[in-house]
Amino acid sequence: MSAHMNLTLKVWRQKNDKQKGQFVTYQANNIADDMSFLEMLDIVNEELTRKGEDPIYFDHDCREGICGMCSLVINGRPHGPKQGTTTCQLHMRSFHDGQTIVIEPWRAAAFPVLKDLAVDRTAFDRIQQAGGYVNVNTGGVPDANAILIPKRIADEAFESATCIGCGACVAACKNASAMLFVSAKVSQFALLPQGQTERYERAQAMVDQMDAEGFGNCTNTGACEAECPVGIKLTNIARLNREYLTAKLFREEDIHN
């Protein structure tokens, strides 16, 4: 049988990126500990709607930890207190009766607030568009298993590709750096033979777009890896740095030649 609790919520409310926001306090009563965090917010919103008040605006979609939309900072931590867990996978048993929960949006200049807890993360889309593609002249399309890839390389590429683009790495970073996200997207192509045609061009284009979007610099504090809900590793950043430096060397050689 599930236990129930009463909670105090301090929620960031902001109409848009042009207006100042503030914390507003709400009560969440009779919350079952087997509810998800988003289900708890749904109940609070139902109560606000019944009162004729504006419900709390937050992002969500799959609610299965796949899409990365449920981007909330909960008591100072992106996605809340549990490691390897997205907000939608977080359950209320992680909190206790009478607790105060502070809920905020991602805090980054490159992620402007749309409303309340939802931010505009299309900067990530533009970074991927800058280099997240491959050009392969296949001729007749070969069987998918025709290109042999060592298991270690395939596993590394797959682990990088599991990045869900939620932006927790940016929210966790004191500099609002997007290096973990960008390095994961670069790595998933750089490791595979299909991604070699524009390997170094990709790294330079995506890093240049990242800088243009206004993300901060990486100082290797490791907060991004610690808060990533799918466990993307810092080793990806080391790979991105190698890819980017090699791209710069190739470009200088082309200029001199």
Side-chain angles (χ1 to χ4, degrees):
M1 184 176 179
S2 61
H4 288 73
M5 64 187 80
N6 297 324
L7 304 161
T8 299
L9 308 182
K10 291 188 175 180
V11 182
W12 186 259
R13 303 302 305 264
Q14 184 174 344
K15 288 189 176 181
N16 53 52
D17 63 333
K18 302 293 190 297
Q19 298 189 32
K20 292 181 67 175
Q22 63 180 356
F23 283 106
V24 178
T25 301
Y26 301 99
Q27 298 302 315
N29 296 321
N30 200 32
I31 301 298
D33 64 358
D34 57 1
M35 286 181 183
S36 74
F37 197 86
L38 296 189
E39 287 174 324
M40 180 273 293
L41 287 179
D42 289 338
I43 287 175
V44 172
N45 276 343
E46 287 171 6
E47 181 64 24
L48 289 174
T49 301
R50 279 195 293 268
K51 293 178 180 178
E53 298 179 27
D54 191 22
I56 301 163
Y57 194 87
F58 62 93
D59 260 338
H60 64 92
D61 192 359
C62 72
R63 299 201 179 199
E64 295 178 348
I66 297 170
C67 69
M69 295 290 287
C70 54
S71 47
L72 302 179
V73 175
I74 302 166
N75 285 347
R77 293 189 61 181
H79 290 299
K82 297 199 71 174
Q83 274 194 303
T85 304
T86 56
T87 298
C88 63
Q89 295 173 305
L90 181 66
H91 286 81
M92 298 311 297
R93 54 180 169 267
S94 298
F95 305 92
H96 58 79
D97 185 37
Q99 185 171 357
T100 296
I101 304 175
V102 181
I103 311 171
E104 306 170 70
W106 288 168
R107 301 290 193 181
F111 289 158
V113 171
L114 293 171
K115 185 177 180 181
D116 295 340
L117 303 174
V119 299
D120 181 354
R121 290 174 297 167
T122 54
F124 271 10
D125 296 333
R126 291 187 290 273
I127 290 171
Q128 291 190 89
Q129 289 161 6
Y133 56 86
V134 295
N135 291 315
V136 180
N137 183 9
T138 61
V141 179
D143 184 85
N145 295 324
I147 301 176
L148 298 178
I149 301 171
K151 184 178 187 304
R152 181 184 66 81
I153 298 298
D155 287 347
E156 275 193 67
F158 179 79
E159 286 171 7
S160 298
T162 60
C163 169
I164 59 176
C166 68
C169 50
V170 177
C173 178
K174 65 179 183 178
N175 305 319
S177 171
M179 281 288 280
L180 193 67
F181 165 78
V182 176
S183 65
K185 296 306 176 185
V186 165
S187 290
Q188 72 185 66
F189 292 115
L191 288 164
L192 299 175
Q194 295 90 338
Q196 300 307 303
T197 304
E198 53 280 295
R199 177 175 181 174
Y200 300 119
E201 175 187 331
R202 174 185 300 110
Q204 181 144 8
M206 293 180 79
V207 168
D208 288 349
Q209 187 63 41
M210 175 185 69
D211 291 341
E213 297 291 345
F215 291 102
N217 295 320
C218 173
T219 49
N220 286 310
T221 62
C224 53
E225 180 184 290
E227 298 295 357
C228 176
V230 294
I232 301 298
K233 302 298 184 186
L234 280 176
T235 49
N236 286 288
I237 295 179
R239 182 179 296 109
L240 172 58
N241 286 332
R242 290 194 298 271
E243 297 286 310
Y244 184 75
L245 288 172
T246 305
K248 298 289 279 187
L249 289 172
F250 279 173
R251 174 170 284 189
E252 287 180 11
E253 285 182 11
D254 290 341
I255 290 171
H256 292 309
N257 293 331

